[in-house]
Amino acid sequence: MEDDQENLGPSAGAKKKRCRRRRKPRSPKNNQVQPVEKKQTPKKSHDAPMTKRDLYFVLNCELVSIGKGAPAVARVTMLNWDAEVVLDTFVQVPVPVTDFRGTGISAEVISTHNPQAMSFAKARQAVQQTLKGKILVGYKLQEHLNSLGLTHPATDVRDAAQFQLFQYEELDGVTHERLVVERSLHDLAMEFLQRELHAPFPPMDKCITALDLYKAYRKEWEDFLVRQAQSNYTKNRVPIEDTRTQ
């Protein structure tokens, strides 16, 4: 029995030893490391960077007179940076028009019976939604915004009528004070774009002219706004008193 145990001993030990061996992982063929494919999160449309096409919009409102000369919006036109039409619609005027102001608009197209014309409330909402958080470009924009009952941050407005380079000064004949004079859009187009506008100016021409003026002088325009903001900050800054004991 002892001999048998001695004969079985080495074999059993070897068997146990073999059981304790760990299996080595097989290396890939040709020693090539297999890349781990990472799952990429699909990019959503709202994650895409904003372009000029998405940021800059031009606005023009064609106004008519109602009552004793009060302005009423009869047409709204909006373009993007690429001069593509974003909105162009006649607006219903529910009361009699006393003066069409040379717009070429007829009473029929702004009648409440015209289904192709948008109601004032819907037109206003469309403009408001489009301009939210955007840069507004145009000519005499305050007049257009007022007619729509809207406001827009002054820092996000590029009004060709208010840009210093496009204005000139003249002396008042009585007070001898320097007065800042706004040029007409026709004069601005002639002087700065060498482009002639023929009256009556279609809304599309007004929008494109204002947009091209901004594009042509964008660097000077933005530099002017930066200097203006810095100047306003300096004027409005409240000095901090030193309360430390001497």
Side-chain angles (χ1 to χ4, degrees):
M1 291 291 292
E2 291 180 0
D3 292 339
D4 293 340
Q5 289 177 355
E6 289 178 2
N7 293 333
L8 292 172
S11 174
K15 189 175 181 180
K16 289 179 180 179
K17 190 174 182 180
R18 281 197 296 273
C19 290
R20 287 195 300 267
R21 288 178 183 171
R22 292 184 179 179
R23 200 168 185 176
K24 293 182 179 180
R26 293 181 181 178
S27 58
K29 294 180 179 181
N30 302 327
N31 295 325
Q32 293 181 353
V33 179
Q34 299 299 322
V36 179
E37 203 170 302
K38 294 183 178 179
K39 292 184 179 180
Q40 295 184 350
T41 306
K43 212 168 191 180
K44 298 179 182 179
S45 58
H46 61 262
D47 293 329
M50 186 174 285
T51 63
K52 291 177 181 176
R53 186 175 179 272
D54 307 312
L55 184 62
Y56 294 88
F57 291 92
V58 194
L59 171 67
N60 179 79
C61 293
E62 294 293 286
L63 304 177
V64 295
S65 295
I66 57 176
K68 295 183 178 180
V73 179
R75 184 174 179 176
V76 175
T77 305
M78 295 188 74
L79 306 182
N80 63 15
W81 179 267
D82 297 330
E84 297 170 336
V85 177
V86 176
L87 176 68
D88 188 26
T89 180
F90 289 107
V91 181
Q92 296 175 355
V93 180
V95 296
V97 175
T98 55
D99 185 0
F100 287 93
R101 299 187 180 186
T103 59
I105 297 174
S106 65
E108 290 75 21
V109 297
I110 57 175
S111 167
T112 54
H113 300 294
N114 180 13
Q116 301 301 320
M118 192 178 286
S119 70
F120 175 80
K122 287 185 177 179
R124 181 182 184 276
Q125 184 180 22
V127 173
Q128 188 176 33
Q129 289 178 344
T130 303
L131 292 180
K132 189 174 182 180
K134 305 301 191 299
I135 304 295
L136 175 59
V137 181
Y139 178 77
K140 290 195 174 180
L141 287 169
Q142 195 57 54
E143 181 180 340
H144 302 313
L145 289 171
N146 288 343
S147 66
L148 289 167
L150 296 175
T151 59
H152 202 67
T155 53
D156 293 340
V157 172
R158 306 295 183 267
D159 192 336
Q162 299 296 322
F163 181 36
Q164 191 179 44
L165 181 64
F166 295 161
Q167 298 173 332
Y168 68 92
E169 291 184 350
E170 65 179 16
L171 287 176
D172 186 288
V174 179
T175 63
H176 301 290
E177 294 179 349
R178 288 186 176 275
L179 303 175
V180 177
V181 180
E182 297 176 355
R183 286 186 173 94
S184 67
L185 191 60
H186 176 272
D187 290 345
L188 291 176
M190 283 290 293
E191 182 170 347
F192 295 95
L193 297 176
Q194 291 74 54
R195 182 184 304 170
E196 188 172 358
L197 297 179
H198 299 282
F201 312 135
M204 207 71 65
D205 288 355
K206 294 178 183 179
C207 287
I208 291 174
T209 300
L211 179 62
D212 287 346
L213 284 167
Y214 176 69
K215 286 181 176 180
Y217 293 90
R218 182 167 176 257
K219 185 181 183 306
E220 294 87 345
W221 207 318
E222 296 302 323
D223 289 345
F224 165 73
L225 292 176
V226 169
R227 292 194 302 271
Q228 190 178 54
Q230 290 173 342
S231 175
N232 291 338
Y233 172 78
T234 303
K235 290 178 182 177
N236 298 329
R237 188 174 57 180
V238 178
I240 301 174
E241 296 182 3
D242 190 352
T243 59
R244 292 175 300 179
T245 55
Q246 299 295 331

